[in-house]
Amino acid sequence: MNCKKEDLLLYAVTDRAWLNGRTLYEQVEEAILGGATFIQLREKDLPREEFLKEAIEIKALCKKYNIPFVINDAVDIALEIDADGVHVGQSDMETGDVRAKLGADKIIGVSAQTVEQATLAMERGADYLGVGAVFPTGSKDDADDVSHETLKAICDAVDIPVIAIGGIGIKNVLELKGTGICGVAVISAIFAQEDIKKATTELLTKTREMVQ
């Protein structure tokens, strides 16, 4: 499955911090129905067996709606369940090694904060880049802020799609207009909202406006 630019418009990253008695499956389905175009399953603390079971369920859900599905960091689980791909950070497995493990037809996303990291990831086989944090964020303690100038410089330096991540929401997404990104990745702007479907639809409208 190759990665199309339009698939990356509204990229939803899961977080079980806001389940409030609901299942992740229900929340992801609401996000998809609201217009999310890409799903990343992100689990930092789930035991492997539970992670595996959940990954199989969410993969089936994404397949039902024909939405690309990648797993954060866990290359072995992505391989085991035949996910569409993975997203890795700078401290995770190196891009070239991930490509060697997953093969040519899988999607590989890589987090980048500098032009150097971005161009290296592209050379090593990344399909898209996630750049951030572009605004202050509570979801990732280790997310360094990336200026909008750097974001634009990264977009200019690579010829693979770039999405912005970090602290993005309905109130500030339009500030990213003109940077060259093809979409945004969000966590709390979707999954922390009471009405996930409505929040996703509203954010999608604003994001479309931003990329035009």
Side-chain angles (χ1 to χ4, degrees):
M1 182 169 197
N2 56 5
C3 187
K4 299 196 290 290
K5 236 179 175 171
E6 53 272 26
D7 290 338
L8 293 160
L9 184 63
L10 185 53
Y11 183 122
V13 181
T14 69
D15 192 328
R16 53 184 41 253
W18 300 290
L19 289 181
N20 297 325
R22 304 176 61 206
T23 66
L24 198 70
Y25 186 98
E26 287 167 341
Q27 292 199 333
V28 171
E29 185 160 39
E30 273 194 43
I32 292 172
L33 291 171
T37 58
F38 202 108
I39 301 292
Q40 179 195 124
L41 180 63
R42 183 171 181 259
E43 289 291 2
K44 293 296 185 188
D45 308 304
L46 212 57
R48 194 179 191 283
E49 281 312 301
E50 284 176 49
F51 189 172
L52 197 59
K53 183 173 175 289
E54 184 182 78
I56 290 166
E57 287 171 0
I58 304 291
K59 179 197 163 186
L61 174 65
C62 291
K63 197 175 167 66
K64 176 180 159 186
Y65 291 101
N66 202 21
I67 300 278
F69 168 68
V70 300
I71 292 178
N72 181 278
D73 295 353
V75 177
D76 58 329
I77 286 184
L79 202 57
E80 191 168 332
I81 70 150
D82 194 29
D84 294 323
V86 292
H87 186 94
V88 293
Q90 287 294 319
S91 57
D92 303 313
M93 194 187 285
E94 194 276 320
T95 315
D97 297 336
V98 179
R99 177 59 75 203
K101 261 190 112 154
L102 290 187
D105 62 337
K106 295 294 181 188
I107 298 169
I108 297 176
V110 179
S111 299
Q113 266 124 15
T114 65
V115 170
E116 292 73 25
Q117 288 174 354
T119 49
L120 186 64
M122 178 180 72
E123 285 161 14
R124 298 273 166 88
D127 292 297
Y128 74 87
L129 299 170
V131 177
V134 293
F135 298 110
T137 172
S139 304
K140 295 188 79 156
D141 309 331
D142 57 347
D144 295 322
D145 286 343
V146 173
S147 71
H148 295 181
E149 290 73 33
T150 301
L151 178 61
K152 192 174 186 320
I154 288 172
C155 290
D156 291 342
V158 298
D159 51 21
I160 55 175
V162 176
I163 55 173
I165 189 166
I168 300 165
I170 197 94
K171 291 184 171 73
N172 60 15
V173 68
L174 288 175
E175 291 174 35
L176 298 167
K177 199 173 179 67
T179 54
I181 57 171
C182 68
V184 295
V186 297
I187 304 175
S188 61
I190 287 178
F191 293 111
Q193 307 311 307
E194 212 167 309
D195 188 335
I196 289 173
K197 187 179 170 188
K198 180 168 174 271
T200 308
T201 302
E202 288 172 355
L203 185 57
L204 180 68
T205 303
K206 278 265 196 279
T207 305
R208 275 214 179 97
E209 199 184 321
M210 180 271 298
V211 298
Q212 271 161 9

